[in-house]
Each structure stands twice: as structure tokens, then as C-alpha cells.
Amino acid sequence: MVVPATALSFAPNVQFDAALIRKLSRQGPRYTSYPTADRFTDGFGMGDYMQAVNSVRAMGARNPLSLYVHIPFCDKLCYYCACNKIITKNRSKAEVYLTYLKREIDMQGKLAGDLNMVTQLHFGGGTPTYLSDEQMGDLLAHMRRWFRFATDDAGEYSIEIDPRTVTLERIRTLRTQGFNRISFGVQDFDPDVQKAVNRIQPEETTLAVMNAAREAGFRSISIDLIYGLPKQNLMTMDRTLTKVIAADPDRISIYNYAHMPALFKSQRRIAEDELPSAETKLDMLSLCIKRLTTAGYVYIGMDHFAKPTDDLAVAQRQGRLHRNFQGYSTHAEAEMISCGVSAISAVGSTYSQNEKTLDAYYERIEQGELPIARGIKLNVDDLLRRIIIQMLMCNFELSIASLEVAYPITFANYFAKELEQLRVMEQDSLLTIDPEWLTVSPKGRLLIRNICMVFDRYLGEKQEVKTERLRYSKTI
Ligand code: SF4
């Protein structure tokens, strides 16, 4: 029996407080990793990565594998984009890229393919559907030579698509190729907004892709919206939300557009005088939360909503939710092996990132090396803070007692400085602190980044404070 989303809905688990957001919103990391990627150094290289894989093996390799594949190419530039992508219509570039990518997969497969079963695969970009059906089939077959994949019902196999560039037949093919989750950007249904950001994606196209994905048997359909784009206002957002709710996706992400033209060249094409004011942005966010929670969606955290029946919401209720470079995930504690230009792996207690330019990436592979450019080996303090940030981001609470069992610390002593800052937040009703638990309130959930930032040791380093504003987007 299919249970309608609303049948399982609860009272909204998030509360919008404009005054509090105005007071506390500041620039901060999104914590898809801790330490964040800007702390990686080039002192970390291929030898360190190989050592991390060997330690995982020596410890019995209990965690399953999670694979990430980065396809950097896109047909057309969306002006708001802050991803690492290459805009080109020259398909031969993808051919060349695939030959190198397969060589990297060979190296990773030889090194780590036997560690454990793959229970998670994600294709991201750029635009993974820039590859043709044949190229995708060939790449997946290549990966299966080295890695063992869990069955369809036991694994989470997802791909980001661009509805503007796929046929409905293509959607069906992706399902038969093994993908069972699909995600894509909508951003806004309003034609003027779409024009202002150079992403014309007719409503009929989006809806047809969603229907085809449903008919093809994808387990979860996820869409992205953005608030804060040029020409957006409360009316356009309200109309878009009505259409989105009627389309009934399983997951919805609502991102705050961070206009940082000094960092992202493509954003310089956005007319600043067409951007909504900070106040309008807050009103739009409030509207999104109200409309989606009324429609029965649950706030998962950090811009994400899901139907209460979706695996993400179920995992959160069961305390199994995890956060990694692709956002929230139901598969906790996997060793993440990532392939492709700029891709980031998380193996054992390390993070490592591949070369960011195609030339450097190709050159390293030509030399027979894994194309790792930088990374970090986490110390015990990093691991402790990482688990705290994970718990807060995923569960909105932290069991101090469990932490003290797992780590040789007394929380009140080790985090005395942090507790001082948290007490100020407690006065603002962001959370409650008792000897056993930190519990984030429905008001504090929207400002979860602020709470996590208290535990980020690196943010406290003096000289960092000035540049912080340039690197991170605002917490709301
Ligand atoms: S938003 Fe997506 S499709 Fe658009 S340029 Fe960026 S990566 Fe490519």
C-alpha cells in the first residue's frame, strides 16, 4: 500500500524566526566535511592516501564503499553556478576525459576494489548526462570490473541530470543501467527568472522528466530550487512552490543563492540591480518553509526537505542519517572513493582531493599516479569534532554521554570554551544544554551551521577571520 506523504506528517519540525535569523546569520561553511576542504594542504599526497586504504584493510574493512564520479562538462552556462564545470559543446573532450577517468578507476579498483561491497554510487558534475547512453554504459561496465555493487534494493545509485538535455527514453535507459535515484535542478519555474540566469527550462520539460522517472521506477526523485535569484519575488516563488508541490517530488532542496562574483566569474553576468533584497529573500525562505511543511514535507536540515516516507526522513527518524560531499545520505560510515577532476575522497581518517584542472589531472594519470593534489589526515581532535558536527547536522541533538564513552574526554572540560558560546545561543533559544544532551530547537534548526561553527577549531584561528567572508556563503 502506498502511504500518502501527509498521512505520516508531523507538526513542522522547524520554526522560522526572522528576527533571530537577521541577528545571527553570518558567513559559514556547509560542513559536507570537517575539516572543510579549504583546510586541505598539498603536503598530503598519493602515499598518504594509499596508507589510509591499507589501514582500512588492516582494520578489517568493515565499512561498505561509496563511489563518486565527477563529470565536469556542461552544454551551457547557468549564471548563478558555483560548481567546478567546463562549458563546451565539443563532445570529443568527453571522449578524452573518459579514457583518463577509466585509467583512474583502474588504479582505484586495483587498490581498493576488494575492500568491501559498494552500497552507494553518485554521478555528479557538471552534467553527468553530458555523456551519451553508450558512454555511460561503457563507464559503468568498467566500474563493475573492479567493484562489487550491492543489489538494487540494497544500494543507493544516484545521478544528477539536466532535464534540458535528456529525452524521456534516456531516463528509462538510466534506470535500466542501474540508477535508482535521480536529481535535477529546477531553480524556478518563472520564465523571466530563468532568462535572467540563462537557464531556460520549460515547465513541461521538467514535469515530463519527473513523470518518466516515476514510470521508470526510480525510488526517489529530488529537485533543487534556489531563492535569491534575479527577478525573483514572493509572487514568483509562491507560483513556483505551487507547481513544485503539485509535481510531488520525494525530496526538495532549497538553496540560498550566494552572489559572490569576486569568486565565481559566471556570476558577474547577473544584473545586481535585479537581485531581491535581503528582506525579500528572508520572506521567500519563510514562504518556502511554510508551504512545504504544510504540504507534509519534513525539514531534514541544511536546505533539505523530504516526504516523511522518503528514505532520508526515515533514516533521520532512526538516527542513521549521514552527511558527506553529496549532502545528506542514508548510508552512514562508508569509505568514499571519488574519481574525476576535483573529486574528493574520504577514506579512513583522511580526505583527499584530485587535481582541479583537466591538464593537471591528465598529466598525473599519464605518470601512472593517482591524481591526488591535496588532502588532510585527521587527528583525534578533528575526528571528535567531525562526529559532533555530523550528529548536530543530521540529528539536531548530541548525546554527551555517548561521546564520553567513545572518546577519553570530559565534555564540560574539553569543550569549556565552546559551552560558553553555546550558552549565549541557549539564551537566544537556539538550543538547550543539559549535562547529558545538546538539543537543537525548531528555531535553531535553520541556524544549525552557526551552532556547528562553534565546534570548528579552524574558524577560531586568528588570521582566518578576515578572509572568512570571502570564502563562505551566508548561513541563511
Ligand atoms: S548549474 Fe549545473 S548545468 Fe548549470 S552550469 Fe552549473 S553545473 Fe552546469
Side-chain angles (χ1 to χ4, degrees):
M1 188 184 75
V2 177
V3 184
T6 45
L8 275 179
S9 60
F10 311 98
N13 61 346
V14 62
Q15 202 181 329
F16 182 87
D17 183 328
L20 202 58
I21 293 170
R22 250 181 244 119
K23 177 177 166 187
L24 296 179
S25 180
R26 54 178 283 212
Q27 281 80 13
R30 301 179 59 78
Y31 293 116
T32 46
S33 71
Y34 178 82
T36 47
D38 50 349
R39 312 293 163 180
F40 299 177
T41 71
D42 56 12
F44 184 102
M46 180 169 125
D48 300 291
Y49 176 77
M50 290 169 73
Q51 215 173 43
V53 173
N54 289 334
S55 317
V56 166
R57 177 172 284 109
M59 303 283 284
R62 277 173 306 206
N63 294 338
L65 301 185
S66 168
L67 301 182
Y68 172 74
V69 180
H70 190 77
I71 307 295
F73 306 104
C74 298
D75 271 322
K76 254 187 153 183
L77 177 68
C78 310
Y79 293 161
Y80 54 81
C81 183
C83 300
N84 186 17
K85 77 279 173 190
I86 295 159
I87 310 293
T88 177
K89 291 208 185 292
N90 180 355
R91 263 27 205 193
S92 66
K93 290 205 175 175
E95 278 295 335
V96 177
Y97 183 73
L98 282 174
T99 58
Y100 285 98
L101 183 62
K102 286 200 256 177
R103 283 167 73 179
E104 188 194 3
I105 290 167
D106 289 341
M107 285 189 252
Q108 288 281 16
K110 240 180 248 172
L111 184 66
D114 64 335
L115 279 183
N116 208 332
M117 190 85 105
V118 176
T119 56
Q120 196 179 30
L121 167 72
H122 184 81
F123 269 70
T127 307
T129 46
Y130 190 90
L131 303 183
S132 67
D133 277 344
E134 294 66 35
Q135 286 171 324
M136 182 61 81
D138 179 52
L139 184 55
L140 289 166
H142 196 84
M143 296 176 81
R144 288 193 185 102
R145 264 178 231 151
W146 292 107
F147 296 96
R148 289 171 296 135
F149 287 80
T151 53
D152 183 62
D153 54 346
E156 188 177 272
Y157 304 128
S158 57
I159 183 163
E160 295 166 15
I161 65 154
D162 182 342
R164 298 170 300 167
T165 62
V166 292
T167 61
L168 302 185
E169 187 53 39
R170 182 86 205 264
I171 303 288
R172 289 186 275 275
T173 306
L174 288 170
R175 182 70 187 100
T176 55
Q177 284 176 328
F179 294 103
N180 55 24
R181 288 163 198 279
I182 201 163
S183 64
F184 51 89
V186 172
Q187 324 312 5
D188 194 311
F189 276 123
D190 188 275
D192 289 338
V193 175
Q194 292 189 357
K195 204 166 149 205
V197 296
N198 198 39
R199 187 184 171 109
I200 309 289
Q201 186 174 310
E203 194 181 324
E204 313 78 69
T205 307
T206 301
L207 297 180
V209 163
M210 286 185 77
N211 288 337
R214 218 164 263 138
E215 276 163 23
F218 279 89
R219 276 221 297 279
S220 178
I221 301 172
S222 171
I223 64 162
D224 297 343
L225 302 177
I226 303 182
Y227 69 95
L229 292 175
K231 300 244 171 155
Q232 266 181 338
N233 55 45
L234 270 179
M235 300 256 286
T236 62
M237 186 48 88
D238 197 41
R239 279 197 298 263
T240 290
L241 287 166
T242 300
K243 289 172 183 174
V244 165
I245 291 166
D248 200 29
D250 302 286
R251 300 176 187 177
I252 303 171
S253 306
I254 301 192
Y255 296 109
N256 174 5
Y257 170 61
H259 189 61
M260 299 198 276
L263 278 188
F264 306 109
K265 227 169 132 188
S266 53
Q267 295 185 353
R268 292 178 204 160
R269 304 216 196 169
I270 283 185
E272 295 200 356
D273 58 351
E274 290 180 353
L275 289 171
S277 67
E279 276 304 302
T280 306
K281 279 180 77 175
L282 262 193
D283 291 343
M284 284 195 272
L285 175 63
S286 165
L287 181 71
C288 291
I289 292 168
K290 193 164 151 222
R291 298 267 342 243
L292 294 183
T293 51
T294 306
Y297 285 89
V298 176
Y299 180 66
I300 299 292
M302 283 294 298
D303 324 309
H304 288 63
F305 293 80
K307 286 184 184 173
T309 45
D310 186 83
D311 289 353
L312 268 194
V314 174
Q316 187 169 52
R317 287 201 295 278
Q318 297 174 345
R320 292 185 290 106
L321 197 66
H322 192 67
R323 190 165 164 79
N324 61 27
F325 289 103
Q326 281 80 58
Y328 286 103
S329 154
T330 55
H331 286 255
E333 301 305 327
E335 306 298 341
M336 179 178 283
I337 297 172
S338 299
C339 296
V341 66
S342 76
I344 301 179
S345 298
V347 173
S349 53
T350 67
Y351 291 113
S352 48
Q353 182 167 32
N354 278 352
E355 298 285 357
K356 285 185 177 174
T357 66
L358 283 185
D359 286 347
Y361 175 73
Y362 294 163
E363 196 184 317
R364 294 288 301 281
I365 293 173
E366 279 297 350
Q367 288 164 2
E369 294 177 3
L370 282 170
I372 294 168
R374 57 198 194 117
I376 190 167
K377 186 164 174 13
L378 279 66
N379 60 31
V380 179
D381 179 75
D382 292 332
L383 291 167
L384 173 61
R385 289 170 190 271
R386 174 166 79 171
I387 193 84
I388 291 174
I389 289 173
Q390 275 275 348
M391 293 290 176
L392 290 170
M393 284 260 165
C394 296
N395 305 329
F396 296 124
E397 61 185 12
L398 176 76
S399 162
I400 293 173
S402 320
L403 204 71
E404 288 180 337
V405 168
Y407 288 85
I409 59 153
T410 304
F411 190 87
N413 296 340
Y414 195 92
F415 291 112
K417 254 182 26 209
E418 286 79 357
L419 276 168
E420 267 174 43
Q421 294 179 57
L422 291 177
R423 282 198 189 97
V424 177
M425 293 184 167
E426 191 178 30
Q427 281 160 20
D428 279 324
S429 307
L430 260 65
L431 77 166
T432 52
I433 307 168
D434 71 38
E436 299 271 304
W437 289 92
L438 298 185
T439 309
V440 180
S441 69
K443 276 184 192 180
R445 291 176 179 210
L446 281 177
L447 290 154
I448 189 68
R449 279 208 259 178
N450 296 55
I451 297 172
C452 291
M453 283 159 74
V454 169
F455 289 98
D456 187 336
R457 183 170 63 87
Y458 298 88
L459 280 183
E461 289 171 359
K462 266 189 267 158
Q463 75 281 17
E464 302 287 334
V465 178
K466 275 189 214 134
T467 53
E468 202 182 297
R469 235 174 334 142
L470 283 176
R471 286 198 318 262
Y472 301 126
S473 60
K474 282 190 108 182
T475 50
I476 285 287

